[in-house]
Amino acid sequence: MINAIGREIPENIAGIKNIKPYGGPFEYVPTGRLTGPNIILNRPRSEKVLKSIEQAIDATGLKDGMTISFHHHFRNGDYVLNMVVAAIAKKGIKGLTLAPSSLNNINEEIIPYIEQGVITAVETSGARGKMGKLLTSGKMAKTTIIRSHGGRARAIESGELRIDVAFIGAPACDTYGNINGVEGKSACGSLGYAMVDAAYADKVVAITDHLVPYPLFPVSIPQTQVDYIVEVEAIGDPKGIASGALRISKDPRELLIAQYATTAIEYSGYFKQDYSIQLGSGGASLAAAQFLKAKMKQQGITASFGLGGVTAPFIEMLDEGLIKAIYDVQDFDIPSIQSMKKNANHQEMSASFYANPHNRGPIVNQLDVVILSATEVDVDFNVNVITDSNGVIMGAVGGHQDTAAGAALSIVVAPLLRGRLPMVIDQVHTVCTPGETVDIIVTERGVAVNPRRKDLRDNLREANIPVMDIEELRDLAYEFAGKPDPILVSDEIAAVVEYRDGTLIDVIRRPLQL
């Protein structure tokens, strides 16, 4: 089958059911009903606190072939996923599907258990390092599924991704299962990805290093969704969970990209009172926040809300009254965590509220402007954020597809070259976000507007930035670095990339050279 962006999608892929080719950002219309966890009886004064992870695994009834989930708010400080999988392996349980909201380098520790058959399938937003290489190698027993944050929430709520046991890393938890992420030595802020898991999994285990008397407040995940609680010495390394305020780039190239992106926003027609915005955590995005802040002050404009993963520049804008409210699914630094704890206008939200395309209205649908990053882009404005120049999985889709589809203006920032590799090319190796949802590509050499958005191109004529055709940017990149050779791949499909609606937008074939 050839999908709507011209990618070949096999009719049969091992381990993938109900294959639907991507047809357009809003072409697929779902039917049916939402799923839900099993109904249970809980008697008064029942005891939820267990002595160990091993005891909790037994209590959940986990057995061969089931699906377990985790959340990645602890990023490279996460201890929970690794310690739980190790405990499961000791019990001899095998053939599990691992369904975390994402995987980080620290999770490489579980690779031996994958090789032993404890984990035989992975469904995630992305992976990096050795784990990404393993998922691309074709050595997994089942094809890996890559989903966006909104797509994962959709899959869970629809029953497409059925979680038997969710393990929730709980920075603070009381003795009856109320959880928040803003207290304790492993505070991570928002628990937005875990909220969906807790609401829909058949069994939920809270693992905490900060067990407090009942009741805990505020509550992010309520006692009504938590079956068991285990106290451990540490659920994460605070240094890996959150840093101090992220550094604003001093790289001249990133600063120039940020300036162009900010100017594009200013002249787009969307930069007006009560607009809304999402910024990323990359160097150019953080720098753009600083430039945007100055322009908002200069022109007396305030935003109605900010959205997504939250960083210190966003918090500064909230504290200065430039943004009225922030909706937070993940925090990247300590100022953001502290803000969510003390500022009532800094609201925690679930991944479904954020970006699920099949609920009654995710907040991305109300978004005016988003700035996104890219590994590479092509002349059809398609974006790759998942595979490297060698075809190996090395990133995550995250909310890329979701915000590009929902926002009125989606801007992708990327350098024209990375090292000696062109970033604007004829065809990206892996399509994660379709070009029809991308409006502007910003590089340090020029800005390209999607031909679908003639209105934007007209608006940017007055802006003092180099507006070019996307083919001109590609030609310039090829002139500097040469046209890259195509990545040679086998016929073997290592992973599929779902669009947020569950259709297949692309597949990742095993590279011949790893």
Side-chain angles (χ1 to χ4, degrees):
M1 297 181 284
I2 303 298
N3 69 14
I5 56 168
R7 294 288 168 141
E8 182 183 353
I9 307 295
E11 294 185 7
N12 296 295
I13 301 174
I16 306 299
K17 300 177 182 176
N18 302 318
I19 294 174
K20 302 183 291 286
Y22 170 76
F26 300 103
E27 289 300 312
Y28 177 67
V29 179
T31 57
R33 291 181 176 275
L34 299 180
T35 186
N38 293 331
I39 301 171
I40 63 169
L41 170 66
N42 196 299
R43 299 184 185 280
R45 286 163 289 285
S46 59
E47 180 60 62
K48 292 187 179 184
V49 180
L50 303 180
K51 294 180 179 177
S52 66
I53 291 174
E54 288 77 7
Q55 189 180 11
I57 293 169
D58 291 340
T60 63
L62 185 70
K63 59 185 179 182
D64 292 359
M66 284 187 166
T67 296
I68 56 175
S69 80
F70 299 85
H71 60 102
H72 72 286
H73 293 98
F74 300 141
R75 303 193 296 152
N76 261 329
D78 179 31
Y79 293 165
V80 174
L81 191 154
N82 296 352
M83 72 170 79
V84 169
V85 171
I88 290 171
K90 286 182 180 177
K91 289 188 170 293
I93 298 171
K94 293 197 171 185
L96 299 179
T97 294
L98 176 66
S101 52
S102 198
L103 290 165
N104 291 295
N105 289 335
I106 194 170
N107 302 129
E108 291 175 359
E109 284 185 30
I110 69 164
I111 287 178
Y113 303 121
I114 294 176
E115 294 170 341
Q116 293 165 19
V118 178
I119 305 292
T120 53
V122 173
E123 302 186 22
T124 177
S125 174
R128 297 165 178 83
K130 295 178 182 176
M131 184 67 78
K133 190 173 182 179
L134 175 65
L135 298 184
T136 320
S137 69
K139 295 179 180 177
M140 294 294 297
K142 297 179 182 177
T143 307
T144 294
I145 300 176
I146 306 290
R147 294 190 179 93
S148 72
H149 291 326
R152 181 177 185 271
R154 173 203 57 75
I156 292 172
E157 294 187 2
S158 69
E160 185 180 307
L161 171 55
R162 184 78 187 175
I163 299 172
D164 294 297
V165 185
F167 294 93
I168 309 292
C173 182
D174 70 28
T175 51
Y176 209 48
N178 294 300
I179 298 170
N180 74 44
V182 296
E183 297 175 12
K185 64 182 181 181
S186 302
C188 63
S190 175
L191 293 173
Y193 305 124
M195 288 176 171
V196 183
D197 298 37
Y200 286 86
D202 277 343
K203 294 292 181 183
V204 176
V205 179
I207 299 175
T208 186
D209 54 10
H210 188 59
L211 186 64
V212 300
Y214 184 87
L216 171 75
F217 51 89
V219 175
S220 299
I221 294 174
Q223 63 193 42
T224 52
Q225 297 174 349
V226 176
D227 295 282
Y228 306 110
I229 302 156
V230 177
E231 186 178 23
V232 297
E233 183 176 344
I235 60 173
D237 177 2
K239 293 179 181 176
I241 295 172
S243 62
L246 295 178
R247 179 186 61 85
I248 302 298
S249 176
K250 295 182 180 179
D251 182 336
R253 184 173 65 170
E254 287 190 338
L255 292 175
L256 187 56
I257 291 172
Q259 284 182 331
Y260 286 165
T262 307
T263 303
I265 294 170
E266 181 183 10
Y267 284 85
S268 66
Y270 296 101
F271 187 62
K272 53 190 176 184
Q273 180 61 31
D274 291 331
Y275 80 116
S276 55
I277 189 164
Q278 175 172 327
L279 302 172
S281 58
S285 293
L286 290 173
Q290 295 298 301
F291 294 133
L292 202 58
K293 179 179 169 182
K295 288 188 181 294
M296 290 170 71
K297 285 183 175 179
Q298 186 181 40
Q299 300 184 30
I301 289 174
T302 59
S304 56
F305 68 89
L307 182 63
V310 177
T311 59
F314 241 25
I315 300 306
E316 291 175 7
M317 294 166 79
L318 177 69
D319 291 342
E320 294 179 29
L322 294 172
I323 296 177
K324 293 177 184 174
I326 285 178
Y327 291 86
D328 185 344
V329 71
Q330 180 183 11
D331 293 288
F332 289 95
D333 52 31
I334 293 170
S336 303
I337 297 169
Q338 294 173 337
S339 170
M340 203 182 82
K341 184 176 181 180
K342 69 183 182 183
N343 192 332
N345 288 358
H346 184 161
Q347 290 286 309
E348 189 174 17
M349 67 175 172
S350 74
S352 186
F353 186 97
Y354 174 41
N356 178 357
H358 292 170
N359 63 25
R360 286 170 173 72
I363 196 169
V364 293
N365 287 359
Q366 295 295 315
L367 187 59
D368 288 320
V369 179
V370 62
I371 297 180
L372 298 162
S373 59
T375 304
E376 57 185 9
V377 300
D378 69 24
V379 293
D380 293 320
F381 287 77
N382 296 314
V383 178
N384 174 20
V385 292
I386 192 78
T387 51
D388 205 349
S389 57
N390 55 4
V392 173
I393 293 171
M394 51 68 70
V397 175
H400 208 284
Q401 299 172 349
D402 306 306
T403 50
L409 171 63
S410 61
I411 297 175
V412 170
V413 295
L416 193 68
L417 306 174
R418 274 197 182 91
R420 292 292 300 168
L421 293 173
M423 294 297 106
V424 183
I425 57 180
D426 289 315
Q427 190 175 64
V428 295
H429 183 68
T430 308
V431 178
C432 299
T433 298
E436 59 192 297
T437 64
V438 175
D439 299 312
I440 296 177
I441 304 290
V442 178
T443 75
E444 75 278 19
R445 290 284 180 168
V447 175
V449 180
N450 193 321
R452 295 169 181 266
R453 297 299 307 269
K454 183 176 181 302
D455 58 321
L456 285 175
R457 181 136 185 159
D458 291 342
N459 290 345
L460 295 188
R461 282 178 181 164
E462 302 298 322
N464 185 28
I465 54 176
V467 179
M468 308 166 67
D469 290 336
I470 188 75
E471 290 82 4
E472 291 180 88
L473 283 176
R474 174 205 58 193
D475 293 345
L476 198 56
Y478 286 179
E479 180 183 333
F480 289 144
K483 184 176 180 178
D485 294 329
I487 300 168
L488 299 179
V489 297
S490 70
D491 291 333
E492 187 179 350
I493 295 175
V496 298
V497 182
E498 282 192 0
Y499 191 58
R500 59 198 297 255
D501 62 4
T503 61
L504 294 194
I505 194 166
D506 210 343
V507 298
I508 299 174
R509 291 181 169 83
R510 179 177 61 80
L512 292 181
Q513 293 185 336
L514 278 175

